[in-house]
Amino acid sequence: KNHNLWNIFKLKLPTKWLVEYSNDSNFAKIYMDSKKNFSFLAEKFDIGLSNSLENKDKAVEKLIQEITKEVSISEAKLKKSENNNYLFYFIASEKESKDSKKVIQNKIWYRIKVLQNKIVIISAVFELSSTIDLENKIYLEKLDQIIGASEILV
């Protein structure tokens, strides 16, 4: 089913997935199973630009450096499509605050569109929370497809 979050972010989700969001909020939560055990969060935000950018690729590279500077990441990839649309994604790992032996892993995607006066960013985060690796892998593959095919419509 096609969804158009915040009237700017188009993505196609399976009909069984439940979307909770409002146009007034910059956050959305998408439940991927009926028991609500698996979900991912999406957030919309803009970064204003004081002057028109000549080199949009450099602006995105600088943004990525800022986003990832204090995060332990792996499997990072940046893709660019037409119309200054970018997709940056990676796995972030951090030690849990209560149990320093336990490592929390999240797959994070940034869908980025550079405009004349601002950068529009949609982030999506999925915690690899299942103790069953195959379950995490299946949901990750599906989310890679969905977010890879998503668009920022501005």
Side-chain angles (χ1 to χ4, degrees):
K1 182 178 175 187
N2 282 319
H3 289 270
N4 194 348
L5 303 180
W6 307 290
N7 296 315
I8 65 158
F9 185 55
K10 182 177 150 192
L11 75 166
K12 191 173 185 169
L13 299 172
T15 52
K16 291 180 181 178
W17 291 13
L18 175 67
V19 178
E20 286 183 0
Y21 96 105
S22 78
N23 278 326
D24 301 336
S25 168
N26 288 339
F27 294 93
K29 189 165 191 173
I30 294 97
Y31 294 99
M32 302 155 72
D33 65 325
S34 59
K35 294 178 184 164
K36 296 188 175 182
N37 290 331
F38 293 94
S39 64
F40 73 97
L41 299 173
E43 180 183 8
K44 171 188 80 92
F45 54 101
D46 301 337
I47 297 175
L49 299 173
S50 54
N51 53 5
S52 172
L53 291 174
E54 291 297 315
N55 191 328
K56 293 176 173 37
D57 291 350
K58 281 211 184 326
V60 169
E61 284 175 25
K62 187 176 174 188
L63 175 70
I64 287 169
Q65 286 172 353
E66 275 301 305
I67 289 169
T68 60
K69 71 179 176 190
E70 294 180 14
V71 184
S72 174
I73 68 169
S74 59
E75 301 177 35
K77 287 202 173 47
L78 174 64
K79 294 180 178 178
K80 181 182 179 186
S81 59
E82 69 280 350
N83 303 327
N84 297 309
N85 236 317
Y86 300 81
L87 178 61
F88 176 61
Y89 53 94
F90 55 90
I91 302 274
S93 303
E94 61 183 315
K95 288 191 166 100
E96 192 177 80
S97 54
K98 297 174 196 137
D99 178 3
S100 62
K101 290 186 180 99
K102 185 176 181 194
V103 174
I104 298 169
Q105 287 196 309
N106 292 304
K107 174 89 179 237
I108 303 175
W109 297 262
Y110 287 95
R111 176 59 81 185
I112 303 165
K113 179 120 183 210
V114 182
L115 304 172
Q116 285 298 108
N117 61 346
K118 66 181 176 180
I119 300 174
V120 178
I121 303 165
I122 307 287
S123 67
V125 179
F126 174 68
E127 184 179 339
L128 286 76
S129 57
S130 179
T131 54
I132 303 164
D133 284 341
L134 182 59
E135 221 167 23
N136 287 330
K137 186 176 186 234
I138 289 169
Y139 279 121
L140 271 181
E141 285 175 3
K142 188 67 180 167
L143 283 171
D144 277 334
Q145 290 171 357
I146 289 168
I147 296 168
S150 69
E151 285 182 85
I152 294 178
L153 304 170
V154 286

